[in-house]
């Protein structure tokens, strides 16, 4: 399956330019779309999911014109939006049956087989008779995947699925995504870089509606090899000085001290050690570079 997005732009009525001439190719496998809050990820995902119109641009899904052949797209698409509706008092089992009927699964035996299999796959079998309103955040997200999988879609879009999950729930959810198989395309939109590192052979970074990077996480890491330097800044003054003189990528508080990471072709000075690059470096460096490009001359 190939999804080709070409020159997509969207300006909301309030003047916010959420997508700026964005082009992106997404093939089979899990694709990570990362970017800070407000980057335009949901706008892009909603457009691919045929839920909103762009101002210009085109989207092709294996020869289907996504912006025109909406019904066709909806038949092969599973979507877990960022805000997944209301969670009613009815059970997971009944709700899935109800949604399956709405998807056109009219045969009761086929429906039972599908619904039962999805409840097993998402590890909700034991809770299937409990009301959805009593589900934890992680269970709700897994139910969201179960409903997205109804009809065996070839393209699945999950928008910020791990936000707000505790580490155990997040892990469980990521494992579920990873198990969805190689025969379909899964687009995972997230602001959590680590989710992408664990799951996605290909990724893109977007910010302010623009594409900053597209490629494999490994390629991205290779380009930074030997160029990421770390040091603990002893004082705020030292941190300030480094910020002025060097290309600072990120600072993390470790045991109350600032551990800083900078980008440099050679050792930037005493006390710095060369460290393995991380996907977070790729991410922050791209964002910093974009900030620079957009600075007025
Ligand atoms: P992300 O999913 O990366 O957080 P969004 O696509 O939700 O980004 O938002 C991109 C930009 O568009 C943000 O500035 C957001 O405030 C704005 N935006 C999103 N939806 C709307 C809308 N319906 N009306 C106006 N502005 C919107």
């Amino acid at each position: 399956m190939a999804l080709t997005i070409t020159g997509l732009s969207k300006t909301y009525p309030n003047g916010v330019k959420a997508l700026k001439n964005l082009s992106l190719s997404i093939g089979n496998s899990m694709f990570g779309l990362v970017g800070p809050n407000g980057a335009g990820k949901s706008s892009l995902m909603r457009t691919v999911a045929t839920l909103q119109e762009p101002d210009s641009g085109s989207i092709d899904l294996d020869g289907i014109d996504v912006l025109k052949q909406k019904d066709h797209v909806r038949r092969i698409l599973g979507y877990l939006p960022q805000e997944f509706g209301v969670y009613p008092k009815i059970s997971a089992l009944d709700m899935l049956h109800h949604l399956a009927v709405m998807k056109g699964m009219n045969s009761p035996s086929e429906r039972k087989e599908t619904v039962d299999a999805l409840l097993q796959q998402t590890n909700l079998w034991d809770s299937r008779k409990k009301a959805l309103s009593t589900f934890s955040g992680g269970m709700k997200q897994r139910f969201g995947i179960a409903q997205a999988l109804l009809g065996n879609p070839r393209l699945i879009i999950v928008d910020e699925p791990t936000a707000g999950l505790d580490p155990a729930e997040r892990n469980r959810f990521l494992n579920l995504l990873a198990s969805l198989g190689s025969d379909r395309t899964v687009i995972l939109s997230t602001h959590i870089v680590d989710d992408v590192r664990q799951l996605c052979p290909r990724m893109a970074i977007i910010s302010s509606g623009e594409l900053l990077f597209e490629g494999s996480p490994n390629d991205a890491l290779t380009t930074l090899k030997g160029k990421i330097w770390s040091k603990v800044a002893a004082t705020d003054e030292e941190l300030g000085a480094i910020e002025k003189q060097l290309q600072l990528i990120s600072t993390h508080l470790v045991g109350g001290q600032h551990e800083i990471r900078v980008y440099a072709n050679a050792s930037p000075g005493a006390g710095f050690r060369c460290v393995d690059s991380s996907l977070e470096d790729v991410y922050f460096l791209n964002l910093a570079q974009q900030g620079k490009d957009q600075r007025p001359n």
Side-chain angles (χ1 to χ4, degrees):
M1 162 151 303
L3 182 71
T4 310
I5 296 161
T6 312
L8 216 59
S9 292
K10 174 72 180 177
T11 302
Y12 287 109
N14 61 359
V16 173
K17 285 186 167 48
L19 300 172
K20 298 174 192 160
N21 195 24
L22 192 121
S23 298
L24 193 59
S25 292
I26 298 175
N28 245 342
S29 80
M30 188 144 341
F31 189 92
L33 183 69
V34 272
N37 285 330
K41 303 183 297 296
S42 293
S43 298
L44 180 60
M45 295 300 94
R46 284 198 300 264
T47 310
V48 174
T50 73
L51 298 175
Q52 73 177 44
E53 298 282 341
D55 301 331
S56 54
S58 63
I59 308 176
D60 180 281
L61 177 64
D62 279 345
I64 304 167
D65 182 339
V66 172
L67 301 175
K68 292 213 176 86
Q69 298 168 270
K70 294 195 171 78
D71 285 344
H72 198 146
V73 176
R74 286 171 194 161
R75 280 200 293 275
I76 55 173
L77 173 93
Y79 180 48
L80 174 56
Q82 201 169 351
E83 303 281 334
F84 179 58
V86 284
Y87 290 90
K89 292 215 166 82
I90 73 169
S91 70
L93 183 71
D94 289 347
M95 186 68 179
L96 268 189
H97 271 281
H98 171 69
L99 292 171
V101 170
M102 293 204 332
K103 279 236 167 181
M105 271 188 205
N106 293 323
S107 147
S109 59
E110 186 200 340
R111 201 165 61 233
K112 181 177 181 336
E113 200 178 313
T114 304
V115 165
D116 286 0
L118 285 173
L119 287 166
Q120 300 273 11
Q121 189 182 357
T122 52
N123 234 321
L124 289 171
W125 180 253
D126 290 346
S127 311
R128 67 191 183 284
K129 291 183 181 156
K130 289 190 188 139
L132 286 167
S133 54
T134 66
F135 274 18
S136 69
M139 289 163 81
K140 283 177 181 166
Q141 289 303 68
R142 280 185 276 130
F143 179 79
I145 286 292
Q147 65 79 29
L149 286 172
L150 279 169
N152 198 18
R154 284 190 287 143
L155 173 65
I156 296 177
I157 295 175
V158 280
D159 197 356
E160 297 274 359
T162 60
L165 299 190
D166 70 36
E169 280 182 334
R170 175 171 164 261
N171 218 11
R172 186 175 241 192
F173 188 82
L174 293 181
N175 283 332
L176 171 61
L177 283 186
S179 74
L180 293 184
S182 53
D183 53 341
R184 53 180 132 224
T185 299
V186 180
I187 307 177
L188 167 65
S189 155
T190 180
H191 66 277
I192 304 171
V193 181
D194 226 30
D195 286 355
V196 170
R197 184 182 61 80
Q198 290 184 30
L199 291 177
C200 304
R202 291 191 69 75
M203 65 177 282
I205 300 175
I206 70 168
S207 173
S208 304
E210 292 174 322
L211 181 73
L212 302 187
F213 172 85
E214 183 182 6
S216 78
N218 274 344
D219 287 351
L221 291 176
T222 308
T223 59
L224 296 189
K225 210 169 160 47
K227 295 179 180 172
I228 305 297
W229 302 82
S230 174
K231 178 182 186 174
V232 174
T235 60
D236 285 352
E237 288 71 35
E238 188 184 359
L239 178 64
I242 288 171
E243 240 166 345
K244 275 199 198 112
Q245 290 159 16
L246 299 171
Q247 187 160 9
L248 187 69
I249 296 180
S250 59
T251 68
H252 291 282
L253 275 175
V254 179
Q257 290 191 299
H258 295 288
E259 194 177 273
I260 54 181
R261 292 168 83 87
V262 304
Y263 175 80
N265 285 323
S267 174
F272 279 98
R273 68 196 164 85
C274 193
V275 290
D276 285 343
S277 55
S278 70
L279 216 47
E280 216 179 65
D281 296 326
V282 177
Y283 179 70
F284 284 130
L285 197 60
N286 272 282
L287 293 185
Q289 201 61 48
Q290 184 193 37
K292 237 188 252 163
D293 294 346
Q294 288 177 352
R295 257 178 232 160
N297 291 321

